[in-house]
């Protein structure tokens, strides 16, 4: 292989071995885009989804009690033991093989169908059939009548497992919602850092511009050295603030990149954020929360499961009474095929019977039922507590949302008004009717007003997300 081909092979190997490092995209982010990427690429969310999928097999495992079972056996036995009476032969051989099919029905009946063949041979001259084949087919059935009457406990147990699986799915969804809320909070932090950096850059450029403009005035003798020093100090302070804002932005950017499992080569751009929805009424928000909150719905499913478990434990207080029946048909011959052909209803054996069992004190079952009742009552308290928590969450979120809407409106007005103040102060300074200290202070105040408006906007966006979260609508909105 030539050196040129070796280089090509090496480059192709690197390309496929390190796709993550070579992948590069330009991704424009807003809150909706962040949510879409997080649901697909956030590793914690993907782990929760895997747990959710894994849990679905619990129901299949519970239903396995109704699986049909096939079992088979084979045994060969040879006996050359020394005997006290030799007329019965000195050697016997026995071959035993057969198969059983077992089935448990949803209505509590256990069924078994069997086939068995025993072959016996001996060197005794007194054996009539040698070899002897004994083929038997049989069927047995057993039915519970009191405890687990007609499969009651088994069916209810599967229903309880189903409710528990549904509860786990909902609890996992609540976990996903919480993880998604955390990612969106990190995104809003990045958005704030991005805008804050822009404001600091704008303030730095303006401070440098003022400093450069006043150098000429100093040379012309229009302003004093102290004025120029003030503009220079202001430019230095704004540069320090800008560098710190840059550090904050970088940290926020890497946090979100980690949350979304993005490549280091991906370029992220931020789109402007706008209000998502109109403010709902308290009754509407509470109704939505009670309908969609996954953690609340999970508790209700758990309560349903506990009610079912209590009914199972109460059923276990009954004594055990089982009825059973069996039927066997066989055929005997010196030929295996003839032995099978002789199997008919003439050579039959059948029987019926009952089994009754009751613990006289029955303390175990009574204790189990009492504990199940307490567990159910405890779960009722949990559901009630969650309802109170939801009412509290929704009320607080709505109040914050209303106040932050008013705060943003006031912050916007303050920024607009103070922008006019700064423009006027700058004109007065140009005319010699204002001091450098006043102009610098006015410039810094304007930057602070812009930041206050930015903070108000980010708090409002976070409140909108929080309101969706407490209503259980964050993932599907």
């Amino acid at each position: 292989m030539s050196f040129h081909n070796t280089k090509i092979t090496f480059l192709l190997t690197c390309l496929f071995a390190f796709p993550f490092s070579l992948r590069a995209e330009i991704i424009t982010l807003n809150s909706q885009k962040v949510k879409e990427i997080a649901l697909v690429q956030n590793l914690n969310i993907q782990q929760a989804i895997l747990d959710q999928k894994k849990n679905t097999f619990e129901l299949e495992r519970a239903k396995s009690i109704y699986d049909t079972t096939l079992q088979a056996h084979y045994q060969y036995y040879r006996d050359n033991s020394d005997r006290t009476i030799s007329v019965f032969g000195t050697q016997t051989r026995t071959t035993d093989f057969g198969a059983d099919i077992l089935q448990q029905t949803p209505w509590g009946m256990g069924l078994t169908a069997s086939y068995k063949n025993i072959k016996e041979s001996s060197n005794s001259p007194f054996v009539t059939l040698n070899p002897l084949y004994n083929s038997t087919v049989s069927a047995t059935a057993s039915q519970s009548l009191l405890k687990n009457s007609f499969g009651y406990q088994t069916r209810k147990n599967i229903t309880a497992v189903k409710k528990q699986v549904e509860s786990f799915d909902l609890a996992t969804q609540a976990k996903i919602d919480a993880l998604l809320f955390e990612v969106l909070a990190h995104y809003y932090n990045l958005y704030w850092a991005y805008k804050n950096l822009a404001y600091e850059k704008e303030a730095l450029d303006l401070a440098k511009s003022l400093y450069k403009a006043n150098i000429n005035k100093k040379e012309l003798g229009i302003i004093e050295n102290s004025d120029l020093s003030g503009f220079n100090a202001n430019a230095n302070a704004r540069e320090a603030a800008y560098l710190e804002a840059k550090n904050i932005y970088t940290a926020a950017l890497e946090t979100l990149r980690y949350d979304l499992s993005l490549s280091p080569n991906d370029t992220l751009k931020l789109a402007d954020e706008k209000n998502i929805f109109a403010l709902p009424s308290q009754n509407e928000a509470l109704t939505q929360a009670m309908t969609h909150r996954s953690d609340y719905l999970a508790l209700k499913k758990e309560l349903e499961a506990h009610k079912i478990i209590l009914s199972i434990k109460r059923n276990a207080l009954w004594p055990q009474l089982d009825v059973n029946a069996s039927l066997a048909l066989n055929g005997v011959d010196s030929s295996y095929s003839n032995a099978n052909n002789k199997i008919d209803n003439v050579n039959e054996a059948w029987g019926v019977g009952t089994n009754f069992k009751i613990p006289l004190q029955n303390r175990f079952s009574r204790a189990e039922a009492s504990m199940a009742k307490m567990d159910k009552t405890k779960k009722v308290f949990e559901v009630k507590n969650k309802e109170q928590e939801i009412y509290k969450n929704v009320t607080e979120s709505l109040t914050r949302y209303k106040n932050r809407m008013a705060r943003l409106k006031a912050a916007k007005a303050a920024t607009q008004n103070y922008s006019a103040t700064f423009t006027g102060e700058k004109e007065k300074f140009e005319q010699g009717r204002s001091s450098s200290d006043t102009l610098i202070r006015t410039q810094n105040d304007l930057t602070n007003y812009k930041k206050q408006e930015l903070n108000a906007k980010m708090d409002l966006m976070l409140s909108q997300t929080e309101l969706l979260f407490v209503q259980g609508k964050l993932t599907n909105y």
Side-chain angles (χ1 to χ4, degrees):
M1 182 181 292
S2 68
F3 177 72
H4 177 70
N5 291 336
T6 303
K7 288 175 62 179
I8 293 176
T9 303
F10 175 76
L11 290 174
L12 288 174
T13 303
C14 292
L15 179 63
F16 289 103
F18 306 103
F20 184 80
S21 61
L22 296 177
R23 177 171 61 89
E25 297 181 39
I26 299 176
I27 304 174
T28 302
L29 296 178
N30 56 22
S31 56
Q32 188 64 28
K33 184 67 174 179
V34 167
K35 185 169 70 172
E36 291 172 2
I37 296 175
L39 288 173
V40 175
Q41 296 185 190
N42 181 270
L43 298 181
N44 291 326
I45 290 178
Q46 292 309 304
Q47 290 180 34
I49 292 173
L50 283 177
D51 288 338
Q52 198 174 36
K53 292 179 178 179
K54 178 183 175 182
N55 189 59
T56 59
F57 295 104
E58 289 294 334
L59 184 58
E60 290 300 308
R61 185 156 63 178
K63 289 180 177 179
S64 67
I65 194 171
Y66 298 134
D67 285 355
T68 303
T69 302
L70 172 65
Q71 61 185 29
H73 69 275
Y74 175 86
Q75 184 177 5
Y76 174 78
Y77 183 72
R78 179 173 177 173
D79 185 1
N80 290 331
S81 302
D82 192 15
R83 291 167 172 75
T84 57
I85 302 176
S86 60
V87 294
F88 296 110
T90 59
Q91 182 187 87
T92 59
R93 298 180 183 181
T94 304
T95 304
D96 181 355
F97 68 89
D100 305 291
I101 296 179
L102 297 87
Q103 178 70 61
Q104 184 72 29
T105 71
W107 298 101
M109 180 175 288
L111 300 173
T112 303
S114 303
Y115 171 80
K116 184 176 183 180
N117 180 272
I118 299 177
K119 175 188 176 183
E120 294 180 343
S121 61
S122 172
N123 62 359
S124 171
F126 297 98
V127 176
T128 305
L129 295 177
N130 195 13
L132 167 68
Y133 290 91
N134 186 354
S135 296
T136 305
V137 294
S138 62
T140 61
S142 178
Q143 177 69 62
S144 299
L145 296 180
L146 294 178
K147 180 188 289 189
N148 196 26
S149 175
F150 295 98
Y152 176 85
Q153 289 187 16
T154 309
R155 294 196 310 276
K156 286 295 184 180
N157 182 64
I158 292 175
T159 304
V161 172
K162 181 180 179 181
K163 296 297 181 183
Q164 290 167 347
V165 168
E166 292 172 350
S167 174
F168 185 87
D169 288 345
L170 290 165
T172 304
Q173 183 59 53
K175 181 180 178 180
I176 292 173
D177 289 344
L179 290 169
L180 192 58
F181 180 79
E182 182 181 1
V183 172
L184 287 170
H186 290 166
Y187 163 69
Y188 292 135
N189 187 46
L190 173 62
Y191 189 91
W192 175 89
Y194 171 73
K195 290 292 186 180
N196 180 66
L197 180 62
Y199 290 152
E200 290 294 350
K201 181 66 167 59
E202 180 183 354
L204 174 60
D205 291 343
L206 181 58
K208 287 181 176 180
S209 176
L210 288 173
Y211 174 64
K212 290 179 181 179
N214 284 281
I215 289 177
N216 295 330
K217 292 183 180 181
K218 170 63 179 62
E219 293 174 351
L220 295 174
I222 299 176
I223 62 172
E224 301 294 331
N225 283 332
S226 58
D227 292 323
L228 185 60
S229 297
F231 284 114
N232 191 16
N234 180 51
N236 292 334
R238 295 316 320 180
E239 184 174 10
Y242 170 74
L243 291 174
E244 180 59 25
K246 205 170 183 180
N247 290 334
I248 294 172
Y249 171 74
T250 300
L253 179 65
E254 293 310 313
T255 297
L256 188 67
R257 196 187 298 276
Y258 171 81
D259 287 341
L260 303 181
S261 299
L262 298 177
S263 165
N265 295 326
D266 289 337
T267 301
L268 304 183
K269 294 185 177 181
L270 304 182
D272 286 335
E273 288 289 342
K274 298 179 180 180
N275 291 349
I276 303 173
F277 54 81
L279 183 66
S281 66
Q282 184 172 18
N283 288 338
E284 181 184 357
L286 283 170
T287 300
Q288 291 293 320
M290 295 299 181
T291 305
H292 296 99
R293 275 282 289 262
S294 298
D295 52 349
Y296 174 64
L297 298 177
L299 284 176
K300 291 182 71 175
K301 291 292 183 181
E302 286 184 33
L303 178 57
E304 292 177 19
H306 278 285
K307 289 179 180 178
I308 295 170
I309 292 171
L310 177 58
S311 70
I312 294 173
K313 299 302 182 182
R314 284 175 172 169
N315 180 264
L317 293 169
W318 288 84
Q320 183 174 337
L321 176 62
D322 299 335
V323 296
N324 53 75
S326 64
L327 172 64
L329 307 175
N330 82 320
V332 177
D333 199 275
S334 60
S335 166
Y336 175 72
S337 59
N338 290 337
N340 288 328
N341 292 333
K342 287 183 177 180
I343 296 175
D344 56 32
N345 58 6
V346 175
N347 305 313
E348 65 177 20
W350 61 270
V352 294
T354 62
N355 293 317
F356 180 78
K357 179 182 177 181
I358 179 172
L360 296 180
Q361 287 81 20
N362 210 13
R363 285 179 289 190
F364 179 83
S365 295
R366 286 192 284 110
E368 289 273 295
S370 297
M371 288 190 294
K373 184 178 181 180
M374 292 179 183
D375 288 340
K376 190 207 78 170
T377 304
K378 181 181 177 181
K379 193 59 63 176
V380 170
F381 292 153
E382 287 187 43
V383 171
K384 294 296 183 183
N385 185 58
K386 180 60 69 173
E387 289 174 352
Q388 293 179 0
E389 178 187 323
I390 289 174
Y391 179 85
K392 177 177 177 291
N393 292 158
V394 170
T395 302
E396 290 178 348
S397 294
L398 279 172
T399 302
R400 275 194 292 270
Y401 189 78
K402 291 177 183 177
N403 292 337
R404 286 173 176 176
M405 285 184 70
R407 175 190 169 197
L408 178 58
K409 183 178 180 181
K412 283 183 177 180
T415 302
Q416 292 173 356
N417 290 330
Y418 210 85
S419 179
T421 300
F422 174 73
T423 301
E425 197 63 39
K426 189 177 180 182
E427 291 176 353
K428 287 167 63 178
F429 182 81
E430 295 293 335
Q431 298 170 2
R433 295 187 294 114
S434 179
S435 65
S436 59
D437 181 65
T438 301
L439 181 60
I440 292 171
R441 187 174 65 252
T442 305
Q443 179 211 343
N444 292 335
D445 287 345
L446 176 59
T447 300
N448 290 333
Y449 276 111
K450 289 181 177 180
K451 287 187 175 184
Q452 288 180 19
E453 181 183 346
L454 174 63
N455 291 340
K457 181 178 180 180
M458 288 299 95
D459 286 343
L460 179 61
M461 294 301 300
L462 188 60
S463 284
Q464 290 182 133
T465 303
E466 180 188 49
L467 190 53
L468 288 172
F469 176 63
V470 299
Q471 292 180 95
K473 299 170 60 179
L474 183 59
T475 302
N476 298 320
Y477 186 83

